[in-house]
């Protein structure tokens, strides 16, 4: 170990202590610490790594329990920064054992001569930022303190074992082991009575091997887990061939994927598959023995929709029941309390079959909690187990445990990290914390970390951090700190992302639920590895957005702001559209634009089934108008909603908002009749408005014929369709009917003025552009007619209109005129409810299968329509927001 240690006097000048001075101090010598050291050294920074253990390896140094292996295939779980390193190492198995992974990390350390800058057996105990010196001072439990400009915590997400929550461990006279701190010497279990407490990953890996040795094994389970057989063996030929054929492409795909492993995205949703087809897909995944495969490759809605997930979970449960002979034990081992994947599923070898062994007993702690650990064993509410050995496989204080164990970490102005994080971790990008200059965390809370192939995430983090430090040095900056605004924005984005997955529906170590007293919330970033990478890159491209940079001889730089203001799925959709580099739609001409929309819609995922779909035609003012009727599966008659599609009075037809109509039909339990009104430029103003009114009148007069409930109808529409719905209400009031019970206006056109701020703020980049709106207006309506309330309903008389639910989206040119209409209706005494959708764009609510974060908005719309119709609230079966539907392939395609 090279010593750059200098002697320093204390203030009174009497005592001397040594402080090691470096540019960058790294804590931890696992995957992350090793790569950091390699990169920092190459970049010319003086560096020291401090590591509590006596060698490199991190996770793979500490976790030596029987059966310890990785659960991401080893060809994916390794460093990729140096092709020669990749060529120099061969994995022997699909899932390498702990000793092999530890050998690999030792090999990496040797190859780049890393150990010479690592201080082993040195634990960092505290870290204090010195604002005057602009340096961190790290205190250690062994040798010199370290003064560094930058302090990087590569302390691991799963490196702080959770202490047992049970009284009396100290009284126990037998042997006690923790899977996360397993002894280096052989642990002899043969012939002994063993208790294993915990059935997470470590428990599930070790239990079958312990059962083979022990005379008796009692497994204490609180929460059953899903475990997939690993089918370990040689590296699978198909994956290896993919890698060998195009190593660069394979690695790149992993970097931009959702989980850090290059699998394609599923396009087919569960309801498009028969039972037999779903079972076939499931069996294939079962045989593949690959967690990322089974977590992502069955059907597109498996990880985002409770119903799609439940189908998979039930197939899994069948497997558990088939593997375990005793039905009571099988039932106790079967998870019901969380969606599949919301808690980390495990890979196993003979786990369930182990419970068929005569020497193994499952103790269900839900039925008989542990009361105490005694001198001779474990006492539950029902019985006593005398044992020789207790193995705690109780997991980790994940993600924050190792960071908070360095205590205190004191930032600018004496801020303590434990106080700042008292209600849960707050970070910007999972990398930095406001108030803590020059502190970085690798795979910290708020980054994809434990929801990803960590090797990929670690490389991305390390590269980003070291590149930033290098750029700062070149520009003369000495400090970097996240701003409060950027951090708050990241928290919002994290919360938005967590609505996209089912993780929030389970109590797990991802949410801090396994540690008593820990603040609860989804800690890892759930938006995916690829999207996260693109966000980190965007921060740099936008001039270090959200960071304050300062240096001794350069002007302070602070480009403050939120990096993602869009909803995460909206961002992906817009990125996907941007990558298509489409010319402006209006440049296709009106017929070309119609063809484009038809083609675009044809590529959409199939909407969910409804009870019945009927196509028909009705008499319009100037010939027949076609319609499509969506009937709920529930017994009728149902109230009828007359629906007008979007498309700027120029594009679309009665089928073009099909997913929206299906979704709303299901959610409201009402008939939706989507009307094919005439389009411009063939039929200009007021054709669409008059058609809308005539169709509503006809439908209201033929409710019985359509199978609907007699009485008032409701109207709804999106965009130009919202305009027609609003106009229809005014015409119906003025022309003696029909009676309309309520109006749903989704991002409606309400006025011909283009000078409201949203027209400028969102002029381009959000699909519906200002110039497209100009084009629609020009095709539909001459300037002289534009103030007519039949096209600018905001200019009409508003009193006496039916109650309205008005939806506007933040990133929509039409936002302000929608809000203005809602305000004007309210002023005119019309009951109005409003949804101002943060982070959404004009098409958010109609892109049913792609913008999952729009689900809760449609739930509110459906509730409003039911209220208007005098129906009781729909029974939704729980958290409606989790019923999001998604073709997640679209998201990943956008991500990639
Ligand atoms: C049993 C097990 C299996 C896993 N399998 C996989 C897998 O298959 N795929 C996957 O992607 N991930 C897996 N993981 C996650 C795994 O933690 C990461 O893949 C990766 O090894 C993390 O590397 P790291 O360097 O970030 O942290 P770690 O490997 O945890 O290293 C952190 C190091 O920091 C040291 N340290 C912490 N605090 C201090 C301090 N205050 N002072 C000094 N030193 C300190 C620790 O001693 C440790 O050596 C697994 C985790 C476990 C526990």
């Amino acid at each position: 170990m090279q010593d750059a240690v200098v002697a320093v006097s204390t203030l009174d000048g009497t005592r001397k202590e040594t402080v090691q001075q470096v540019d960058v101090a790294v804590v931890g010598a696992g995957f992350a610490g090793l790569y950091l050291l390699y990169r920092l050294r190459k970049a010319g920074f003086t560096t020291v790594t401090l590591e509590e253990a006596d060698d490199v390896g991190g996770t793979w140094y500490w976790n030596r329990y029987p059966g310890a292996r990785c659960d991401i295939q080893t060809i994916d779980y390794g460093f990729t920064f140096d092709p020669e390193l990749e060529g120099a190492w061969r994995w022997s198995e699909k899932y390498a054992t702990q000793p092999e992974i530890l050998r690999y990390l030792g090999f990496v350390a040797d190859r780049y001569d890393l150990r010479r800058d690592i201080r082993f057996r040195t634990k960092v105990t505290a870290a204090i930022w010195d604002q005057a010196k602009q340096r961190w001072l790290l205190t250690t439990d062994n040798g010199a303190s370290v003064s560094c400009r930058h302090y990087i915590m590569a302390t691991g997400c799963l490196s702080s074992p959770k202490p047992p929550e049970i009284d009396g461990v100290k009284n126990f006279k037998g042997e006690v082991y923790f899977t996360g701190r397993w002894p280096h010497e052989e642990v002899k279990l043969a012939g002994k009575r063993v208790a294993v407490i915990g059935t997470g990953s470590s428990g599930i890996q070790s239990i079958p091997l312990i059962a083979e040795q022990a005379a008796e094994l009692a497994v204490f389970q609180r929460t059953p887990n899903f475990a997939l057989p690993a089918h370990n063996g040689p590296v699978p030929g198909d994956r290896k061939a993919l890698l060998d054929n195009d190593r660069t492409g394979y690695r790149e795909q992993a970097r931009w994927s959702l989980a850090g492993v290059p699998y394609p995205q599923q396009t087919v949703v569960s309801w498009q598959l028969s039972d037999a087809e779903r079972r076939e897909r499931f069996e294939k995944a079962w045989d593949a023995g690959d967690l990322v495969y089974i977590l992502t490759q069955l059907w597109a809605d498996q990880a985002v929709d409770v119903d799609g997930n439940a189908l998979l979970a039930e197939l899994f449960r069948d497997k558990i029941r088939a593997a375990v002979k005793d039905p009571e034990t099988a039932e106790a081992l079967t998870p019901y309390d969380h969606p599949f994947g919301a808690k980390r599923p495990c890979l196993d070898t003979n786990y369930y079959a182990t419970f068929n062994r005569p020497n193994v007993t499952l103790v269900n702690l839900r039925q008989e909690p542990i009361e105490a650990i005694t001198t001779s064993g474990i006492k539950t509410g029902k019985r006593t187990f005398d044992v020789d050995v207790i193995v705690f496989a109780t997991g980790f204080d994940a993600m924050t445990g190792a960071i908070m164990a360095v205590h205190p970490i004191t930032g600018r102005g004496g801020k303590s990290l434990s106080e700042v994080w008292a209600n849960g971790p707050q970070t910007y990008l999972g990398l930095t914390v406001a108030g803590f200059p020059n502190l970085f965390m690798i795979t910290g809370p708020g980054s994809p970390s434990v929801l990803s192939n960590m090797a990929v995430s670690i490389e991305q983090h390390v590269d980003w951090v070291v590149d930033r430090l290098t750029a700062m040095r070149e520009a003369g900056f000495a400090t970097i700190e996240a701003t409060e605004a950027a951090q708050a924005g990241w928290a919002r984005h994290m919360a938005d992302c967590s609505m996209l997955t089912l993780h929030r529906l389970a109590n797990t170590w991802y949410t801090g639920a396994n540690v008593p007293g820990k603040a609860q919330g989804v800690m890892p970033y759930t938006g995916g590895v690829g999207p996260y990478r693109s966000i980190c890159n965007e921060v740099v491209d936008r001039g270090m957005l959200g960071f304050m940079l300062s240096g001794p001889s350069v002007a302070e730089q602070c480009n403050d702001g939120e990096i993602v203001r869009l909803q995460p799925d909206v961002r992906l959709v817009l990125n996907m559209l941007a990558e298509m580099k489409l010319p402006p739609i209006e440049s296709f001409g009106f017929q070309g634009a119609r063809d484009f929309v038809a083609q675009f819609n044809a590529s959409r995922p199939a909407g969910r089934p409804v009870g019945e779909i009927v196509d028909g035609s009705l008499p319009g003012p100037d010939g027949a108008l076609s319609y499509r009727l969506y009937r709920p599966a529930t017994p009728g008659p149902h109230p009828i909603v007359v629906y007008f599609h979007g498309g700027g009075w120029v594009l679309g037809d009665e089928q073009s908002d099909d997913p929206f109509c299906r979704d709303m039909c299901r959610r409201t339990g009402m008939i939706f009749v989507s009307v094919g009104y005439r389009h411009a430029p063939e039929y200009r103003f007021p054709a669409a408005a008059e058609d809308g009114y005539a169709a509503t009148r006809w439908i209201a007069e033929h409710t019985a014929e359509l199978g609907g409930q007699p009485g008032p109808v409701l109207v709804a529409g999106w965009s130009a369709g919202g305009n027609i719905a609003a106009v229809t209400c005014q015409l119906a009031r003025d022309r003696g009917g029909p009676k309309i019970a309520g109006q749903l206006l989704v991002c409606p056109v309400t006025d011909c003025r283009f000078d409201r701020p949203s027209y400028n703020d969102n002029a381009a980049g959000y699909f519906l552009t200002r110039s497209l709106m100009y084009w629609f207006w020009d095709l539909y309506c001459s300037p002289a007619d534009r103030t007519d309330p039949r096209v600018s309903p905001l200019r009409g008389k508003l009193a006496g209109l039916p109650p309205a639910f008005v939806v506007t989206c933040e990133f929509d040119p039409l936002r302000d005129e929608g809000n203005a209409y809602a305000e004007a209706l309210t002023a005119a005494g019309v009951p109005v409810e409003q949804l101002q959708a943060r982070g959404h764009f004009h098409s958010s609510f109609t892109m049913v299968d792609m913008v999952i974060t729009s689900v809760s908005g449609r739930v509110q719309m459906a509730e409003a329509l039911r209220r208007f119709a005098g129906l009781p609230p729909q029974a939704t079966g729980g958290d409606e927001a989790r019923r999001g539907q998604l073709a997640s392939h679209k998201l990943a395609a956008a991500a990639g």
Side-chain angles (χ1 to χ4, degrees):
M1 155 88 241
Q2 187 190 351
D3 262 353
V5 174
V6 291
V8 210
S9 300
T10 53
L11 282 178
D12 64 6
T14 52
R15 200 159 46 86
K16 292 218 166 164
E17 62 186 26
T18 52
V19 176
Q20 184 177 7
Q21 305 279 343
V22 287
D23 296 331
V24 188
V26 173
V27 187
F31 260 99
L34 291 177
Y35 184 43
L36 268 167
L37 187 49
Y38 168 85
R39 282 277 341 249
L40 287 165
R41 225 194 239 168
K42 265 194 115 173
F45 292 100
T46 57
T47 309
V48 65
T49 295
L50 304 157
E51 168 56 61
E52 184 182 354
D54 61 16
D55 200 357
V56 299
T59 291
W60 305 103
Y61 172 92
W62 295 109
N63 288 268
R64 297 167 186 248
Y65 59 84
R69 288 176 190 275
C70 58
D71 56 14
I72 296 279
Q73 291 200 25
T74 29
I75 59 165
D76 297 304
Y77 185 59
F79 289 118
T80 64
F81 63 87
D82 179 355
E84 283 181 20
L85 169 65
E86 286 204 61
W89 184 265
R90 280 281 165 274
W91 293 107
S92 68
E93 285 181 278
K94 179 179 170 189
Y95 297 107
T97 56
Q98 171 270 330
E100 186 174 8
I101 304 173
L102 187 59
R103 270 200 308 283
Y104 168 74
L105 292 171
F107 171 78
V108 172
D110 290 342
R111 188 176 175 92
Y112 305 106
D113 188 19
L114 298 177
R115 285 192 178 86
R116 74 180 151 90
D117 282 328
I118 305 176
R119 281 170 55 184
F120 292 109
R121 287 177 292 277
T122 306
K123 184 173 180 168
V124 174
T125 49
I128 293 170
W129 172 250
D130 183 332
Q131 182 67 22
K133 290 188 186 141
Q134 305 211 314
R135 292 178 76 83
W136 283 94
L137 182 70
L138 312 187
T139 316
T140 74
D141 69 349
N142 181 13
S145 302
V146 175
S147 164
C148 54
R149 175 75 69 203
H150 299 282
Y151 164 36
I152 309 183
M153 299 191 81
T155 43
C157 297
L158 300 172
S159 55
S160 180
K162 196 171 75 96
E165 296 159 33
I166 309 157
D167 288 343
V169 180
K170 286 202 184 95
N171 303 336
F172 181 60
K173 295 271 186 282
E175 302 159 52
V176 174
Y177 301 105
F178 292 84
T179 50
R181 287 288 181 273
W182 200 259
H184 289 206
E185 60 281 3
E186 190 193 351
V187 174
K188 295 201 170 90
L189 298 173
K192 294 185 179 161
R193 296 163 304 168
V194 181
V196 174
I197 302 179
T199 53
S201 246
S202 307
I204 283 175
Q205 286 187 333
S206 60
I207 284 164
L209 294 174
I210 294 175
E212 283 174 16
Q213 298 172 46
E216 286 169 28
L217 170 64
V219 175
F220 293 78
Q221 171 196 272
R222 184 162 63 185
T223 312
N225 219 332
F226 292 103
L228 176 76
H231 302 303
N232 201 17
V235 173
D238 55 342
R239 303 302 297 166
K240 191 168 174 314
L242 277 177
L243 177 64
D244 291 345
N245 288 344
D246 177 10
R247 187 169 288 270
T248 312
Y250 183 97
R251 297 293 187 216
E252 202 53 16
Q253 200 189 334
R255 291 181 188 119
W256 290 98
S257 66
L258 285 180
V261 178
Y263 277 119
Q265 284 300 303
Q266 274 311 303
T267 53
V268 177
V269 276
S270 60
W271 62 90
Q272 286 176 284
L273 299 166
S274 66
D275 286 351
E277 286 167 330
R278 281 196 296 267
R279 184 168 286 278
E280 193 185 325
R281 284 175 178 234
F282 175 76
E283 292 294 344
K284 191 171 165 210
W286 190 263
D287 293 343
D290 182 327
L291 279 183
V292 180
Y293 188 91
I294 201 166
L295 282 165
T296 60
Q297 297 297 298
L298 297 199
W299 37 88
D301 52 322
Q302 68 177 80
V304 295
D305 176 74
V306 263
D307 296 337
N309 187 279
L311 293 163
L312 163 53
E314 198 42 37
L315 290 165
F316 216 115
R317 292 186 192 111
D318 284 348
K319 288 285 187 191
I320 302 172
R321 291 175 196 124
V324 183
K325 288 188 184 139
D326 172 44
E328 203 181 320
T329 306
E331 192 56 14
L333 285 166
T334 306
Y336 294 99
D337 67 340
H338 62 274
F340 175 76
K343 181 181 167 82
R344 189 175 177 102
C346 306
L347 268 192
D348 78 281
T349 302
N350 294 331
Y351 176 64
Y352 293 116
T354 294
F355 292 91
N356 297 331
R357 294 175 67 104
N359 66 333
V360 176
T361 308
L362 179 72
V363 185
N364 184 349
L365 298 180
R366 299 257 184 241
Q367 288 174 358
E368 46 177 319
I370 294 179
E371 286 186 348
I373 295 187
T374 63
T375 51
S376 62
I378 298 174
K379 185 174 172 328
T380 72
K382 289 187 181 166
R383 32 189 177 159
T384 301
F385 294 83
D386 285 335
V387 293
D388 306 306
V389 179
I390 301 179
V391 174
F392 284 96
T394 38
F396 299 92
D397 182 353
M399 303 209 68
T400 54
I403 297 171
M404 304 295 269
V406 177
H407 186 72
I409 298 179
T410 309
R412 199 167 35 76
K415 260 189 192 177
S416 137
L417 189 66
S418 51
E419 278 164 28
V420 173
W421 283 12
N423 296 321
Q426 304 289 320
T427 69
Y428 182 37
L429 305 171
L431 280 159
T432 57
V433 187
F436 295 80
N438 292 8
L439 165 66
F440 293 94
M441 294 163 299
I442 303 300
T443 64
S447 77
S449 57
V450 288
L451 290 179
S452 67
N453 171 0
M454 296 275 286
V456 168
S457 288
I458 285 170
E459 282 193 338
Q460 185 268 341
H461 263 192
V462 170
D463 287 338
W464 195 91
V465 171
V466 178
D467 290 347
R468 299 294 62 74
L469 297 190
T470 311
M472 279 174 66
R473 185 179 55 190
E474 279 163 17
F477 291 120
T479 69
I480 175 169
E481 185 187 334
T483 67
E484 295 283 354
Q487 186 164 289
W490 191 246
R492 260 190 301 278
H493 177 59
M494 287 274 294
D496 291 342
C497 285
S498 80
M499 297 308 285
L500 291 174
T501 71
L502 303 178
H503 289 294
R504 69 191 185 287
L505 303 181
N507 292 325
T508 66
W509 55 262
Y510 295 139
T511 66
N514 66 326
V515 178
K518 189 165 173 172
Q520 306 273 306
V522 180
M523 288 186 288
Y525 177 75
T526 55
V529 167
Y532 176 80
R533 177 181 292 267
S534 84
I535 291 168
C536 289
N537 292 349
E538 194 181 324
V539 166
V540 180
D541 294 344
R542 291 172 64 185
M544 292 303 286
L545 186 73
F547 283 107
M548 202 150 43
L549 297 152
S550 70
S553 45
V554 285
E556 191 172 278
Q557 175 192 313
C558 182
N559 186 10
D560 204 359
E562 276 175 65
I563 184 63
V564 188
R565 289 181 55 212
L566 291 166
Q567 290 292 328
D569 39 8
V570 170
R571 180 175 179 275
L572 294 181
V573 167
L574 289 172
N575 283 350
M576 180 179 72
L577 291 167
E579 270 166 31
M580 288 162 80
K581 294 197 175 24
L582 297 169
I585 294 179
E586 57 273 30
S587 69
F588 295 136
F590 68 88
Q591 196 48 53
R594 286 175 190 161
D595 295 344
F596 168 78
V597 169
Q599 213 181 332
F600 189 83
N601 287 347
S603 69
R604 291 184 294 214
R608 292 205 175 201
V610 293
E612 186 188 21
I613 290 183
V614 182
D615 289 327
S617 66
L618 54 85
D622 188 22
L625 303 175
S626 36
Y627 69 79
R628 171 164 277 203
L629 180 147
Y630 301 83
R631 194 187 311 285
T634 50
H638 311 92
I640 296 184
V641 180
V642 184
Y643 179 76
F644 303 106
H645 65 82
W649 308 285
V650 176
L651 313 174
D653 57 32
E654 70 278 8
Q655 297 184 27
S656 55
D657 292 348
D658 184 75
F660 182 77
C661 291
R662 284 172 184 266
D663 190 76
M664 291 301 290
C665 167
R666 289 167 61 96
R667 287 181 193 285
T668 54
M670 291 151 91
I671 292 174
F672 265 63
V673 183
S674 174
V675 176
Y677 54 87
R678 286 172 296 163
H679 288 151
E682 297 91 330
Y683 302 97
R684 288 168 59 84
F685 171 82
E690 292 299 339
D691 285 1
Y693 171 69
T696 306
R697 177 165 211 132
W698 185 88
I699 291 166
E701 286 163 0
H702 295 80
T703 49
E705 195 180 307
L706 296 169
Q709 192 174 292
V713 293
L714 300 98
V715 294
W718 167 56
S719 192
N723 173 271
I724 296 171
V727 169
T728 295
C729 291
Q730 295 191 12
L731 296 181
R733 178 200 55 198
D734 299 342
R735 295 180 183 175
K739 254 191 149 33
I740 297 176
Q743 48 180 329
L744 168 65
L745 311 178
V746 184
C747 306
V749 181
T750 69
D751 193 31
C752 57
R753 250 178 64 193
F754 302 128
D755 58 355
R756 292 186 175 85
S758 59
Y759 252 92
N760 280 327
D761 298 349
N762 309 308
Y766 303 104
F767 202 50
L768 177 67
T769 61
R770 181 171 57 188
S771 69
L772 183 57
M773 278 310 299
Y774 291 163
W775 185 67
F776 285 146
W777 272 99
D778 288 345
L779 289 181
Y780 181 53
C781 194
S782 344
D785 292 329
R786 289 188 186 176
T787 53
D788 190 312
R790 284 174 300 164
V791 70
S792 290
L794 185 59
R795 290 164 194 258
K797 189 182 128 212
L798 301 181
L801 290 175
F805 190 90
V806 183
V807 181
T808 53
C809 291
E810 186 180 1
F811 295 96
D812 181 359
L814 306 185
R815 179 193 66 206
D816 293 344
E817 66 192 75
N819 288 338
Y821 198 60
E823 278 165 31
L825 286 173
T826 307
V830 177
V832 176
E833 295 169 51
Q834 248 191 296
L835 168 62
Q836 297 187 2
R838 181 179 59 79
H840 282 286
F841 79 132
H842 186 69
S843 304
S844 279
F845 291 100
T846 47
M847 283 191 156
V848 171
D849 305 302
M850 296 168 76
V851 180
I852 310 152
T853 51
S854 67
V855 169
S856 61
R858 282 194 304 280
V859 171
Q860 291 177 53
M861 294 178 209
E863 282 168 1
L865 285 176
R866 285 182 69 85
R867 266 195 308 279
F868 296 157
L871 298 178
Q874 180 93 300
T876 57
D879 172 9
E880 251 303 329
R882 60 192 162 143
R883 305 179 76 85
Q885 303 164 23
L886 155 86
S888 57
H889 69 291
K890 296 280 183 193
L891 296 185

